[in-house]
Amino acid sequence: MNRRQLRASCTLETLASERNLLLAADKARKRKSRRPDVEAWWLRREQEINRLREELLAQTWRPAGYRFFTIHEPKRRLIAAAPFADRVVHHALCSVMQPLLERRFIARSFSCQIGKGTTTAREVCRELTNRHAYVLKCDVHKFFPSIDHGILREKLAREIRCPGVLRLIDHLLASHVTDGAEIPPSFFPGDDLLEASARPRGLPIGNLTSQLWGNFYLDGMDHRLTEMERHGAYLRYTDDFLLFGNDKERLWALRGMIVEELSALRLKLAVPKSRLLATCEGVPFCGFRFLPGLRPRILGATKRRFETRRHRLFRTGMAMREIGVRIFAWYQFSKEANTLGLRRAYCGWPLDGRKRRRKVAKAFSPRGKR
């Protein structure tokens, strides 16, 4: 469909249709079917879907709030978990909004898109590393907690024309605001102290809508770099993006443009993480270090986190089957890199030969023998 057709289909009636809500409930239930609250909702799904449909069409639906908890791997993050009924609405909204927004994304904008996960992003990074001498690695400081609600709402209103959908977006944005005491607000030239502090900001890490809106928030910078600045050696994974080139002065000039573009979005670069590197030193990206002409290697911090997690699993007395499921997930992840010796050390026997590799995969698979 073209842009006009996608806009016409992004309406509150389409969002609140029984078919769309049922598909959204099925997506929200995946990998959570054993939770008691999810199964209780699913047993009475006809009544719950009818209730959601009536509230959405009458524009009386409101988010029920979040359950907050903190994770510490790979780094400390505050996660906001919405109730299951709210997640159904998130999926229903994304199903009508995502085709309209994703059509704007450039080809090398990755994360939370079908066929554009970490594996594809790493492959593009490997190709660009082999072809260029330098890379400008950039990371946005506190990306999700710093997203400005007003700017995001204005950008979404340019694409979405249905007033009912925009009101629903307003309710979702208002359901979570970053605490200024925990993460102080950033100030930019021309800001008034009180007004800048009062600006609502922050998207809850854990919402499906936050991932899509985060990608869309930086879409303008992608187009400026690739179209106006004519710099095609570029890729972005959420707020982590790389610019490759053979001219250091050109990359430094692009960094100044990026700072200017992020300032217009009320964002800042993470100074320790944003730096210019020679590709021969290794390009850290998505848990791997990429070197020209070589297979990528796993970052030291990634290995240390897995070691800590592996020892903790054995100390907890967990069943070997459950431990095998978790180790096999890391085993599959590590196969993308040059980790033959590392996997040999973890698995306890050599991996030489096709038969022995199949034996390791079978031993650590969820269906393998323990």
Side-chain angles (χ1 to χ4, degrees):
M1 291 191 292
N2 58 33
R3 185 178 183 181
R4 183 177 180 180
Q5 291 171 330
L6 289 172
R7 278 181 174 174
S9 63
C10 186
T11 62
L12 191 62
E13 290 73 18
T14 306
L15 186 152
S17 64
E18 293 182 4
R19 182 176 181 275
N20 188 44
L21 289 175
L22 186 59
L23 289 174
D26 188 57
K27 292 178 182 178
R29 184 173 175 260
K30 285 184 178 179
R31 300 183 183 90
K32 298 180 178 64
S33 58
R34 296 185 179 182
R35 291 180 47 175
D37 59 326
V38 175
E39 281 306 289
W41 193 97
W42 189 256
L43 288 175
R44 56 178 191 276
R45 57 185 177 276
E46 291 84 1
Q47 297 88 341
E48 293 291 342
I49 287 176
N50 288 333
R51 180 184 62 81
L52 282 178
R53 173 176 168 78
E54 293 174 359
E55 291 182 359
L56 289 171
L57 291 176
Q59 300 184 22
T60 59
W61 180 86
R62 298 293 183 273
Y66 298 95
R67 176 177 59 87
F68 293 95
F69 60 93
T70 303
I71 62 172
H72 299 275
E73 293 182 2
K75 61 182 180 181
R76 186 178 181 275
R77 287 192 179 99
L78 180 65
I79 305 299
F84 182 75
D86 287 8
R87 293 202 299 272
V88 173
V89 177
H90 299 167
H91 279 273
L93 176 60
C94 287
S95 65
V96 299
M97 183 176 52
Q98 192 163 358
L100 178 60
L101 300 184
E102 280 190 356
R103 70 178 301 280
R104 291 185 46 86
F105 296 168
I106 64 172
R108 289 179 176 173
S109 172
F110 299 95
S111 170
C112 305
Q113 302 172 62
I114 297 176
K116 288 189 172 185
T118 56
T119 300
T120 310
R122 293 188 194 111
E123 180 62 24
V124 173
C125 181
R126 184 188 64 82
E127 294 176 0
L128 293 175
T129 302
N130 292 338
R131 288 160 41 192
H132 298 89
Y134 302 101
V135 59
L136 177 64
K137 177 177 170 56
C138 298
D139 189 271
V140 179
H141 175 69
K142 301 291 183 182
F143 177 58
F144 283 105
S146 301
I147 291 179
D148 188 88
H149 289 187
I151 297 176
L152 177 61
R153 174 63 164 76
E154 182 180 353
K155 291 170 69 69
L156 289 171
R158 295 175 192 158
E159 299 295 326
I160 300 171
R161 300 299 174 83
C162 177
V165 175
L166 291 175
R167 289 194 196 94
L168 179 61
I169 291 173
D170 290 337
H171 296 319
L172 288 174
L173 289 175
S175 66
H176 176 79
V177 177
T178 299
D179 185 7
E182 182 177 356
I183 302 178
S186 300
F187 298 97
F188 299 89
D191 277 356
D192 179 81
L193 182 62
L194 295 178
E195 291 182 1
S197 302
R199 291 181 70 98
R201 60 193 173 95
L203 296 181
I205 301 176
N207 275 12
L208 182 65
T209 53
S210 300
Q211 301 169 6
L212 177 61
W213 291 343
N215 279 343
F216 179 66
Y217 198 72
L218 295 178
D219 178 66
M221 184 186 67
D222 296 342
H223 286 278
R224 181 173 177 182
L225 281 169
T226 56
E227 296 171 7
M228 298 178 64
E229 301 295 336
R230 303 282 186 178
H231 193 85
Y234 166 78
L235 76 153
R236 177 171 66 86
Y237 191 90
T238 313
D239 64 324
D240 190 3
F241 49 98
L242 305 174
L243 290 88
F244 291 84
N246 297 317
D247 186 354
K248 290 200 290 186
E249 293 183 0
R250 166 70 173 168
L251 293 177
W252 279 118
L254 289 175
R255 186 187 186 278
M257 188 278 297
I258 290 171
V259 171
E260 176 187 344
E261 189 72 19
L262 291 178
S263 179
L265 299 173
R266 304 189 67 80
L267 298 174
K268 292 183 178 179
L269 285 178
V271 177
K273 299 180 181 178
S274 303
R275 57 195 187 275
L276 183 64
L277 303 169
T279 54
C280 61
E281 300 175 11
V283 182
F285 184 69
C286 289
F288 289 78
R289 184 177 298 278
F290 295 85
L291 295 163
L294 300 174
R295 291 187 65 189
R297 300 182 178 182
I298 295 182
L299 291 173
T302 306
K303 290 188 287 187
R304 288 190 293 272
R305 283 195 300 268
F306 174 73
E307 276 290 329
T308 303
R309 191 182 309 120
R310 189 166 68 104
H311 290 302
R312 187 186 303 125
L313 289 174
F314 283 103
R315 288 198 304 267
T316 57
M318 184 181 296
M320 286 300 299
R321 182 179 181 83
E322 296 297 327
I323 294 177
V325 171
R326 288 160 172 78
I327 294 181
F328 183 70
W330 190 89
Y331 175 84
Q332 292 294 96
F333 161 79
S334 65
K335 284 202 306 183
E336 297 183 25
N338 183 15
T339 55
L340 181 64
L342 189 64
R343 285 179 283 146
R344 178 187 298 151
Y346 285 158
C347 297
W349 60 79
L351 300 178
D352 300 327
R354 184 178 301 174
K355 292 183 179 180
R356 292 183 179 180
R357 284 196 293 270
R358 285 203 299 263
K359 185 176 181 181
V360 172
K362 183 178 180 181
F364 284 99
S365 67
R367 298 180 181 179
K369 295 182 180 179
R370 303 290 182 270

